[in-house]
Structures are given as structure tokens and as C-alpha cells.
Amino acid sequence: MIKYLPALQKLNPKKVCRYLQNHGWNELCQVFGGRAKQFATHDGGIVVLIPLDVSCSDYIPMLERAIVDIANYNKNTIVGMLSELLNPSADIVKWRIIENETELGQIPFESMISYIGSIKNSLAAALLDTINPKVFHPKLLTKNVIEELSNCSFGQTEFGSYIINVICPLGEYQYNLFDNDVEDLPLYRKVNLKMMESLSIINRSVADGSNELDDAVGGGNVSVNFLDTIANIISVNELAHFDINIVRSKSVPSPDDAVTNILVSHVVNQKIIDVADRYRPHEPQNVMKTIFGKIINMSGDANPEDRDVFTITLLILGDDNDKQHIIVRLKYAESYHVVSQAFENGLVVRVTGTYSSASRKKYIDNGTITIAN
């Protein structure tokens, strides 16, 4: 039984041949009366046979053997190789999440939701940094950005740790050959170059103890929004680290010094937060604000008799549909019954009070709370 039958049936053998040509394989000859082609690596170490006649009874087994050999040569998984071949006119951004819980290719449900949301936002920020560079973007997921991101998709993950494949289409560039001096690269090639460049600046700035990241943000080359998205990814599990690899389509050229792989860990998080806070537009402080959300935590003095004031943590959705936490201070006698009911039943609450913020933390003091209708 062919393990990857649906994917193999979707492959166009002529496109597989073009892939090999674009990746430096040499076409040797046609065999079986022109029903198959032989290709060899540049050193002649590996030879594969690509069947061309889909009506042949052994077409699928022959194609599978060829894909396995190509994947082994590229030090790729079969799933990864099929993903690259089925999306030839796309760059694939591989986010490898490395932590104890992902060693078997599994990941906690809530963590996965957070990672996907933050990775999507990091791509949105890199997109805005590419087409409209500035220190801070007032809104990340604008209508145009949402429409553009709808062209991207998540590919199948791979075994061992947990790999999220983000497929970024390059438009009508499939298997075209370009000169190295082509200036008008596809949008997502520029976006991926920008993302990897920004991550490199973060790592270098931390390693060297330099002001390179400050200069990049102050000059509008890396936005506060992009720094926030990376901090959000790290915050899901600060014990994890992330190996980000770009598999770029060979049909579109890249600069010789383009970064293809980078490692991100919690070591950079404090630098990111500090720089982002220096350049983040200051929110109005001590203003009345009303918010809606769900209570995810509550705390107060252990002795009820001394519990005049207690705090709750409210989960809300920000302007870009990202999850945010707000710490709310409430009077115990007036609010506990509402808080208890909402917390136990997962109800949405309405909170009004004096809003302030410090760094990435947000607060509401002297709050009043009711169950939202």
C-alpha cells in the first residue's frame, strides 16, 4: 500500500523534472520509449527515475521511490519533500518548536492556538514592515493585510519536535528562471527576507550587547509590532526555543547573503521587550475605560476579613484579535459575588475603571464589574 498515495497522485511528473533541473540535477536520458526520464545528482552519486506516463501500472511505486531518494539526498522528510513539490511557487517558513512536550510530534492544544496566532501576526508585521516601514503600526491586521494573508496556508507538520509549515505563495513565478539581478521580487520573498533579517538583528544585538536593534526600530526598519509578536511567541513557553528555517523556491533568486536559518530563544526576550517599550507610543494614562472579557484568574488576601480589595485577570481580544491580559483591582464586598458567578460559569463580564499601562502590562483600578448581557 502506498503511504502517500493522495499526494503522489496530485504531483505532475513534468514539474518534478523541472524541480530537479532547477536544483542542479542532470538529465541523463529518456527510457522505456520516452515514458520515463533519468536524473542524476551533479556528482553522479544518486540516480532517480521519474515516470511520465500516469497510465503505467507501476507509475505510483516508481514515483514514490524517486521522491524518497530525492528527500534523502536533500536531508528532508518525505512529507516535507512532498510539500515543497506540491507548492513549488512558494517559500515555506518552517517554525520548529523544540520543547519537552513536542518530542513526539505533539503539542498542547492551547499552546498550538497561541503559536499559530502569534506566527500569523509575526508574518503580518513583517508584511507591513516591508510595504510600509515605520516604527509602530497603529493596526496590524488591516483589511489589506488580512486579504493578503489569506493567500498563505499552513502545511502538514513533520515528526520530531513540532514543525509548523507556513506556505507563502510567490504568484506567477512557478519554475521560471531569473537572473540574479532581478529587482522586482515577489512580495512574500521580500517579506521572508525582511523577517529573517529582523530576527538576525535581534540575535546580533543581544550577542554583541549593541544598539543595533534600537537603531533598526528607531529608523523604522523593524517595527514595535514585530517585536511584540516574537515576545508573544516566546511567552507561550519560555523553556522552548524555535528553529526557523526558510525553504525558498529555486525558481526565484535570492541575495547571496540571505539568511535561511535562525534560532530564537528566551535569551532575547528581555531585550525585545525593553526596546519595544522605548519606542512604543505612550497610551493615555489614568483614563476611564470599559472593557469586556472573561476572568481567567482571581486572587486576594488569604484572610477574608482583610480582603478589602482583590484582583482578577481578564482575558480580552485586542484590536488585532490577539489575546491580551488585563489586571483589574476590585472592592471585595461589592464585587465578589459577580466575580464568583462569572468565573465559575465562564461568563463574559463588563468592567469599567481607571485604565493605565506599564510596559506590556495593563491595569484597571477602582473597577466596577457586571455580567455582560
Side-chain angles (χ1 to χ4, degrees):
M1 180 178 178
I2 303 299
K3 186 175 181 180
Y4 304 102
L5 181 59
L8 291 167
Q9 289 174 330
K10 292 178 181 178
L11 276 181
N12 185 325
K14 292 182 179 180
K15 291 181 179 180
V16 178
C17 293
R18 294 195 198 107
Y19 173 90
L20 294 174
Q21 292 168 344
N22 289 340
H23 285 73
W25 292 61
N26 298 317
E27 182 179 342
L28 300 181
C29 61
Q30 294 192 14
V31 295
F32 304 134
R35 291 186 297 172
K37 286 185 178 182
Q38 276 189 329
F39 289 85
T41 54
H42 62 88
D43 59 1
I46 296 180
V47 177
V48 295
L49 187 65
I50 307 298
L52 302 177
D53 188 353
V54 297
S55 66
C56 290
S57 59
D58 57 352
Y59 169 78
I60 291 295
M62 288 174 62
L63 185 59
E64 183 184 38
R65 285 196 295 271
I67 300 304
V68 169
D69 289 341
I70 296 168
N72 290 337
Y73 177 75
N74 289 341
K75 295 181 173 57
N76 198 353
T77 64
I78 299 175
V79 171
M81 194 71 247
L82 287 169
S83 179
E84 187 174 349
L85 288 167
L86 287 169
N87 299 279
S89 59
D91 285 348
I92 302 175
V93 186
K94 294 175 173 285
W95 288 79
R96 182 187 294 272
I97 303 166
I98 306 169
E99 56 173 274
N100 291 337
E101 293 177 312
T102 61
E103 290 179 353
L104 298 178
Q106 300 175 353
I107 193 168
F109 188 70
E110 288 300 323
S111 296
M112 184 63 177
I113 293 173
S114 297
Y115 281 132
I116 286 179
S118 296
I119 288 172
K120 175 185 175 182
N121 287 344
S122 71
L123 190 62
L127 173 62
L128 284 174
D129 287 356
T130 301
I131 62 178
N132 186 26
K134 58 174 59 177
V135 174
F136 181 79
H137 305 289
K139 186 173 177 61
L140 198 59
L141 297 178
T142 63
K143 180 180 179 181
N144 290 339
V145 168
I146 292 172
E147 289 177 354
E148 189 60 55
L149 289 181
S150 68
N151 295 315
C152 298
S153 58
F154 286 107
Q156 184 171 343
T157 187
E158 299 170 26
F159 189 79
S161 71
Y162 200 96
I163 300 177
I164 299 175
N165 294 317
V166 183
I167 301 169
C168 304
L170 300 181
E172 301 299 324
Y173 291 82
Q174 186 171 329
Y175 294 119
N176 292 328
L177 296 177
F178 293 84
D179 296 328
N180 289 330
D181 59 354
V182 171
E183 295 180 0
D184 191 20
L185 293 175
L187 174 60
Y188 276 107
R189 174 57 55 82
K190 294 179 182 178
V191 171
N192 291 329
L193 289 170
K194 167 62 74 173
M195 175 182 287
M196 297 303 275
E197 176 193 4
S198 299
L199 291 170
S200 298
I201 290 172
I202 291 171
N203 277 359
R204 283 198 304 269
S205 185
V206 172
D208 302 340
S210 68
N211 292 324
E212 184 179 4
L213 183 56
D214 284 82
D215 295 339
V217 176
N221 294 320
V222 178
S223 66
V224 168
N225 309 76
F226 183 78
L227 298 186
D228 284 342
T229 65
I230 301 304
N232 288 340
I233 291 171
I234 294 172
S235 69
V236 176
N237 183 351
E238 293 192 355
L239 297 178
H241 55 282
F242 308 89
D243 187 9
I244 304 162
N245 182 53
I246 303 281
V247 179
R248 294 192 173 97
S249 172
K250 295 292 184 180
S251 60
V252 178
S254 286
D256 294 336
D257 59 350
V259 178
T260 59
N261 182 263
I262 198 161
L263 190 68
V264 175
S265 73
H266 67 91
V267 173
V268 304
N269 204 31
Q270 193 58 52
K271 178 83 170 188
I272 290 174
I273 292 172
D274 290 344
V275 173
D277 286 344
R278 277 197 288 275
Y279 291 93
R280 189 189 316 279
H282 294 295
E283 290 186 277
Q285 300 294 309
N286 301 318
V287 295
M288 293 299 294
K289 182 174 282 192
T290 297
I291 57 173
F292 294 84
K294 287 191 174 183
I295 302 169
I296 60 172
N297 189 33
M298 51 191 294
S299 61
D301 194 289
N303 185 356
E305 296 180 358
D306 298 328
R307 203 181 295 165
D308 294 331
V309 175
F310 72 121
T311 63
I312 62 171
T313 302
L314 210 59
L315 178 65
I316 69 168
L317 289 180
D319 292 337
D320 293 313
N321 289 324
D322 55 321
K323 292 182 179 179
Q324 297 180 5
H325 293 164
I326 295 187
I327 298 172
V328 182
R329 299 183 180 96
L330 301 164
K331 291 183 179 180
Y332 181 79
E334 298 175 1
S335 307
Y336 181 75
H337 68 288
V338 176
V339 171
S340 178
Q341 179 187 359
F343 185 62
E344 291 177 3
N345 295 285
L347 303 177
V348 175
V349 296
R350 178 181 186 270
V351 173
T352 300
T354 306
Y355 174 85
S356 62
S357 61
S359 185
R360 288 162 55 86
K361 294 184 177 180
K362 304 175 187 297
Y363 303 91
I364 284 186
D365 286 302
N366 302 317
T368 60
I369 185 169
T370 57
I371 304 294
N373 294 326

